[in-house]
């Protein structure tokens, strides 16, 4: 039976790619010498793949019990990779996936179980992936992931078989190209390693082959190339391609700047030209109004300002290649190493207002943006920023349970003692923080915080985005939904009345304290109305009100 690519196979591919990159992450990080020897290529590829996999899982969840179409699935994959792309390698991987998605989405054969593509379409998708990646890089260099992607496409072209055969040919072509990279790029030859980004792409293509054929392909380790005679290239070898971009240790730019950008094509064209003058390793990927911009510069502020002039940049990340924080780089040599705190709290928080509240309580916060849940890498980064021997992690979202668990596990490998409290809402996190005492024993503190969170029921008000079935009946677009412990309990037309109904149901089982977190669009009069209702109907219950600010839910409700 021919092996075709459908939505289920794409989901399996994403999961297998994530597993493969997870296993190879440390190895890939260890051979990362180009364009900057900062040892994070494997991590960046993993985080990019994680974002793509999460987006595909969300597409499946949104269509249950039916399946999403192949076109919807590959577009979700590409979008997830775009918004979660990290580093030079992750940004290029996101463009490779976008190029494949463009062809597959256009060529998919609609019709239920027949929603699939065959080998010829997959071969064209691989070709489009390689070509679009070359176009996204300002100054393409051979001996990199671009070369490996092109070799994969060349090997796939003309295979004539089904998707399984095409994927296997692409994988083998990529493996051969990867082995040749030390002879194409002088910096790789001097270090005696293959290209780290290309090694990551081989893992991704191996996962594609596995998803289609069931084979388990494990690329051989690249560690044996270090120090080997055949892998080294003399610095004066005329066949070695000299790099346009100079690694940081040889005087390259000091900062890596990455941001998502909402802008039109014309503005992005001007942005490319400006950033190309400012620095190197420029990669701009995306389209349809949303772009991911990556560049290495000495003036990080100028790179961000260029984005502001082009459109609306957000999720801005600035990394100093010397390590630590870009804003404290000038003080690094004079300041002694900061001593670790004994204990810290790291929390995922929706909304600027709550972020301020958590920060005042001493927590290190991770923003939760609408439709963009943080990846495990962001949580690990926050744990590192907390710089403590012991960390209490509050995910504040049931959907982040597995992501938080992965982050906790990675942090433990770095010597940090992490306790994950499974908070499902920010109001449960507030309750946990209220009893946090860093001076008592770690286990006792975690038990007290877990107990406080568990004793807090949580509710939420949201606006229905479409007509759908709920536990409370059928809702229409624009209805106000009142959720209790994650399930829709009330369908209303007004925020205040719906909130009162939710509060009455939550307080029917008793309670001592009501916490209200108001979204940016909710007026103060609603809070005053709810406080008055609680005061008059429940004499022994206190109410506290916070402002969630931008990016917060319409309303969060907690009852302790």
């Amino acid at each position: 039976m021919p092996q075709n690519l459908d939505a289920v196979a794409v989901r399996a591919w994403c999961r297998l790619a994530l597993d493969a990159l997870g296993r190879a992450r440390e190895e890939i990080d260890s051979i990362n010498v180009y364009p900057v020897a900062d040892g994070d290529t494997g991590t960046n590829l993993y985080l990019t793949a994680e974002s793509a996999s999460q987006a595909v899982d969300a597409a499946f969840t949104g269509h249950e019990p039916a399946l999403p179409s192949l076109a919807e699935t590959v577009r979700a994959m590409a979008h997830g990779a775009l918004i979660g792309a990290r580093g030079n390698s992750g940004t290029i991987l996101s463009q490779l996936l976008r190029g494949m998605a463009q062809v597959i989405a256009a060529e998919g054969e609609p019709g239920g179980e027949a929603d699939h593509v065959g080998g010829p379409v997959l071969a064209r998708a691989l070709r489009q992936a390689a070509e679009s990646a070359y176009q996204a890089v300002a100054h393409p260099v051979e001996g990199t992931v671009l070369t490996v992607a092109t070799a994969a496409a060349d090997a796939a072209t003309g295979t004539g078989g089904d998707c399984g055969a095409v994927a296997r040919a692409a994988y083998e072509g990529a493996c051969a190209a990867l082995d040749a990279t030390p002879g194409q790029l002088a910096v790789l030859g001097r270090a005696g390693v293959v290209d780290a980004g290309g090694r990551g792409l081989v893992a991704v293509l191996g996962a594609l082959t596995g998803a289609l054929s069931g084979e388990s392909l494990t690329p051989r380790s690249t560690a044996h190339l270090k120090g080997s005679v055949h892998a080294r290239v003399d610095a004066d070898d005329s066949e070695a391609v000299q790099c346009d971009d100079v690694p940081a240790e040889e005087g390259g730019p000091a900062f890596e700047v990455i941001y998502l950008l909402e802008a039109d094509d014309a503005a992005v064209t001007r942005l490319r030209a400006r950033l190309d003058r400012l620095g190197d390793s420029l990669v701009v990927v995306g389209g349809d109004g949303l772009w991911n911009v990556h560049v290495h510069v000495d003036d990080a502020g100028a790179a961000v300002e260029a984005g502001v002039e082009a459109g609306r940049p957000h999720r801005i990340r600035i990394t100093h290649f010397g390590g630590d924080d870009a804003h404290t780089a000038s003080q690094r040599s004079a300041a002694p190493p900061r001593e670790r705190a004994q204990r810290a709290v790291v929390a995922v928080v929706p909304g600027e207002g709550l972020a301020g509240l958590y920060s005042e309580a001493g927590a290190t916060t991770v923003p939760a943006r609408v439709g963009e849940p943080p990846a495990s890498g962001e949580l690990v980064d926050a744990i590192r920023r907390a710089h403590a021997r012991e960390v209490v992690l509050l995910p504040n979202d049931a959907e982040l349970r597995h992501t938080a668990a992965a982050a906790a596990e990675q942090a433990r490998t770095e010597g940090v003692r992490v306790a994950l409290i499974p908070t499902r809402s920010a109001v449960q996190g507030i309750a946990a923080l209220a009893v946090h005492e860093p001076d008592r024993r770690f286990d006792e503190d975690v038990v007290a915080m877990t107990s406080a969170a568990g004793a807090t029921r949580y509710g939420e008000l949201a606006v229905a985005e479409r007509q759908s079935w709920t536990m409370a009946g059928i809702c229409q677009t624009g209805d106000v939904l009142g959720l209790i412990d994650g399930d829709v309990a009330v369908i209303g037309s007004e925020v205040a009345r719906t909130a009162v109904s939710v509060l009455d149901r939550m307080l029917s089982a008793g309670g001592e304290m009501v916490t209200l977190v108001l979204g940016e669009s909710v007026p103060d009069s609603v809070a005053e109305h709810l406080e008055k209702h609680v005061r008059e109907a429940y004499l022994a219950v206190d109410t506290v009100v916070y402002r969630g600010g931008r990016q917060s839910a319409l309303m969060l409700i907690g009852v302790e």
Side-chain angles (χ1 to χ4, degrees):
M1 182 175 179
Q3 295 166 343
N4 295 310
L5 185 69
D6 58 13
V8 173
V10 171
R11 189 183 200 186
W13 175 29
C14 289
R15 291 179 170 179
L16 289 173
L18 189 60
D19 289 343
L21 289 170
R23 291 192 300 271
R25 180 181 60 81
E26 291 185 8
E27 175 194 329
I28 296 173
D29 282 346
S30 72
I31 62 171
N32 172 201
V33 297
Y34 180 84
V36 175
D38 50 354
D40 63 357
T41 289
T43 300
N44 288 335
L45 287 169
Y46 178 86
L47 294 174
T48 305
E50 181 183 48
S51 183
S53 183
Q54 287 176 342
V56 170
D57 285 343
F60 271 75
T61 301
H63 283 80
E64 290 177 346
L67 296 177
S69 69
L70 175 59
E72 290 171 318
T73 304
V74 294
R75 286 175 182 142
M77 174 186 69
H79 180 73
L82 176 67
I83 65 173
R86 298 283 287 269
N88 188 69
S89 55
T91 307
I92 293 174
L93 176 61
S94 75
Q95 187 70 355
L96 289 167
L97 295 179
R98 178 180 173 83
M100 291 186 69
Q102 288 174 332
V103 172
I104 294 170
E107 298 290 338
E109 300 167 6
E113 294 182 0
D115 188 2
H116 63 269
V117 296
V121 174
L122 179 58
R124 291 203 302 275
L126 290 166
R127 174 64 63 194
Q128 175 64 23
E131 291 177 354
S132 61
Y134 263 98
Q135 293 166 4
V137 177
H139 301 284
V141 174
E142 296 305 321
T144 65
V145 62
L146 299 176
T147 305
V148 176
T150 299
D154 290 343
T157 301
T159 299
D162 60 14
C163 283
V166 169
R168 182 61 188 248
Y171 170 76
E172 292 176 349
C175 287
L178 178 66
D179 284 343
T181 55
Q184 296 174 294
L185 194 55
V187 66
L188 301 179
R190 288 194 296 270
V193 297
V194 296
D195 179 65
R199 169 65 178 87
L201 180 58
V202 164
V204 172
L205 291 174
L208 176 60
T209 305
L212 290 167
S213 66
E215 294 182 77
S216 180
L217 300 178
T218 304
R220 61 179 175 78
S221 171
T222 55
H224 74 287
L225 291 175
K226 294 182 179 180
S228 62
V229 176
H230 78 275
R232 292 187 176 275
V233 179
D234 189 272
D236 296 326
D237 191 335
S238 61
E239 295 182 1
V241 179
Q242 298 302 316
C243 314
D244 288 346
D245 301 296
V246 182
E249 66 268 25
E250 296 180 14
F255 297 96
E256 176 185 61
V257 178
I258 305 174
Y259 49 80
L260 287 178
L261 178 70
E262 296 176 16
D264 59 32
D265 292 1
V268 170
T269 298
R270 294 191 295 271
L271 175 66
R272 287 179 193 267
R274 181 171 177 183
L275 292 179
D276 194 26
R277 293 193 296 271
L278 284 174
D280 60 34
S281 295
L282 174 61
V283 185
V284 181
V285 302
D288 302 319
L290 181 63
W291 308 81
N292 193 305
V293 179
H294 170 280
V295 67
H296 295 172
V297 292
D298 281 320
D299 189 345
V304 175
E305 289 172 7
V308 172
E309 292 182 8
R312 189 178 81 85
H314 51 104
R315 299 189 74 169
I316 299 168
R317 296 180 59 86
I318 299 175
T319 304
H320 191 278
F321 287 127
D324 300 332
D325 191 322
H327 301 291
T328 60
S330 62
Q331 306 170 5
R332 189 183 301 108
S333 58
R338 183 162 62 98
E339 173 139 8
R340 283 183 178 271
Q342 181 59 34
R343 189 172 310 157
V345 176
V346 172
V348 179
V349 185
E352 295 174 348
L354 279 182
L357 175 68
Y358 272 75
S359 296
E360 287 176 11
T364 299
T365 62
V366 179
R369 307 169 186 86
V370 178
E372 298 179 16
S376 63
E378 291 180 72
L379 301 186
V380 173
D381 287 344
I383 292 172
R384 291 171 181 151
R385 288 202 315 274
H387 203 60
R389 299 181 181 89
E390 302 166 340
V391 170
V392 180
L393 181 57
L394 306 174
N396 291 341
D397 187 339
E399 298 297 322
L400 290 177
R401 183 175 69 256
H402 297 302
T403 300
E409 188 61 33
Q410 181 172 340
R412 291 181 188 120
T413 66
E414 299 177 7
V416 182
R417 187 180 184 189
V418 182
L420 171 60
I421 298 179
T423 49
R424 294 172 289 175
S425 171
V427 290
Q428 289 188 321
I430 292 172
L433 266 179
V435 301
H436 170 52
E437 292 184 15
D439 293 332
R440 63 184 165 195
R441 289 180 56 245
F442 185 62
D443 292 337
E444 292 177 358
D445 197 32
V446 171
V447 168
M449 294 176 73
T450 303
S451 178
T456 303
R457 300 191 70 193
Y458 65 96
E460 179 180 346
L461 262 60
V463 177
E465 297 181 355
R466 60 181 181 275
Q467 183 188 62
S468 61
W469 288 89
T470 74
M471 297 287 288
I474 301 175
C475 70
Q476 305 296 327
T477 303
D479 282 346
V480 180
L481 306 180
L483 294 85
I484 299 177
D485 294 338
D487 293 322
V488 177
V490 179
I491 300 175
S493 57
E494 296 179 5
V495 171
R497 289 184 180 179
T498 307
V500 167
S501 297
V502 171
L503 271 172
D504 286 342
R505 293 193 182 207
M506 295 178 72
L507 287 167
S508 64
E512 298 176 357
M513 171 74 76
V514 169
T515 301
L516 302 175
V517 181
L518 275 59
E520 188 177 31
S521 64
V522 179
D524 292 336
S525 58
V526 171
E528 294 168 0
H529 174 71
L530 296 177
E531 284 185 283
K532 180 180 179 182
H533 175 74
V534 172
R535 187 168 57 248
E536 294 177 350
Y538 307 94
L539 300 180
V541 179
D542 294 325
T543 303
V544 60
V545 179
Y546 301 109
R547 274 287 176 185
R550 289 198 309 139
Q551 293 290 329
S552 64
L554 185 61
M555 185 183 298
L556 299 177
I557 302 172
V559 173
E560 299 178 42

